[in-house]
Amino acid sequence: MPRTRKAEKGATPAEVAEHKRATRELAEFKAKIAERQTWAFQRVATAGPTSKDPAKERWQCPAQAGKRRCENCPMSMRFPAEFPVVANPPAAATAPAFCTQRTVTIPRKALAKRGQRHYWGSDGWIASFNRRTHVEGAFGNLKNPSTENVRRGWCRVVGIVKTSIFTACAVAASNIRKL
């Protein structure tokens, strides 16, 4: 089997098979997340210092946001036929508020998980989360007793400015050592 990628150079057949399996699983995961995003509500107005009520946010349903077709949202039925459809929507008489209004107000305390910059599992979220490995490694190197040994009481100066200068020197020393 010809190897075309650098990452596979010198890999055993079992490692190549494992890489292909992991790649296939990641593609399946991303497809499921993309399908799930079509069900997600979309933020219309964020809570902030200029909003009327900073403890609440305005959201709209997926049909109003242009992600799905739903019988309870006549505008969405004009979307192309290949758009996903809400199967068995509630009857108009018993439909919840988000099916009968353009937007709904949700208290901010109920939205703690939605406060992330990227949608969970999306490409942007994966890229952002993968940075954590490098950050944790850098902090581990700074705290390692065999290297910079940064810990509580490691420098005997008082004040945030002096401590920050010492920390900057430790980070610079760490970077030079790694280079």
Side-chain angles (χ1 to χ4, degrees):
M1 167 157 94
R3 294 186 177 137
T4 58
R5 296 163 70 181
K6 275 181 157 178
E8 294 178 1
K9 191 179 275 189
T12 66
E15 291 171 335
V16 171
E18 174 63 21
H19 180 265
K20 286 182 181 180
R21 183 196 60 75
T23 302
R24 186 174 51 254
E25 285 181 2
L26 181 61
E28 290 170 4
F29 173 76
K30 286 182 178 182
K32 287 178 183 178
I33 291 298
E35 198 277 330
R36 190 177 118 186
Q37 270 186 303
T38 66
W39 287 102
F41 275 54
Q42 183 171 338
R43 183 182 291 127
V44 177
T46 60
T50 59
S51 65
K52 292 178 186 174
D53 188 354
K56 298 179 180 176
E57 293 184 353
R58 302 288 297 169
W59 292 76
Q60 64 185 2
C61 77
Q64 289 283 345
K67 298 177 182 179
R68 289 195 160 263
R69 295 175 58 184
C70 179
E71 293 175 8
N72 288 335
C73 180
M75 175 204 66
S76 71
M77 296 309 287
R78 296 185 185 140
F79 296 150
E82 58 268 5
F83 267 55
V85 178
V86 175
N88 303 322
T94 61
F98 57 83
C99 286
T100 58
Q101 301 174 185
R102 186 182 168 287
T103 62
V104 292
T105 302
I106 302 175
R108 186 156 197 167
K109 65 181 178 182
L111 300 168
K113 191 173 183 178
R114 295 289 303 173
Q116 299 183 61
R117 177 173 293 164
H118 303 289
Y119 187 83
W120 183 86
S122 67
D123 289 338
W125 181 87
I126 290 171
S128 179
F129 191 78
N130 283 342
R131 290 190 310 237
R132 181 176 178 164
T133 303
H134 302 292
V135 171
E136 294 290 339
F139 284 138
N141 276 324
L142 284 173
K143 294 177 181 181
N144 187 345
S146 301
T147 58
E148 280 67 42
N149 198 20
V150 174
R151 63 188 180 347
R152 185 181 190 103
W154 71 287
C155 62
R156 293 190 173 105
V157 294
V158 177
I160 190 117
V161 174
K162 294 175 187 174
T163 306
S164 297
I165 291 172
F166 269 65
T167 305
C169 292
V171 170
S174 175
N175 287 338
I176 291 169
R177 181 178 47 79
K178 289 177 197 172
L179 288 174

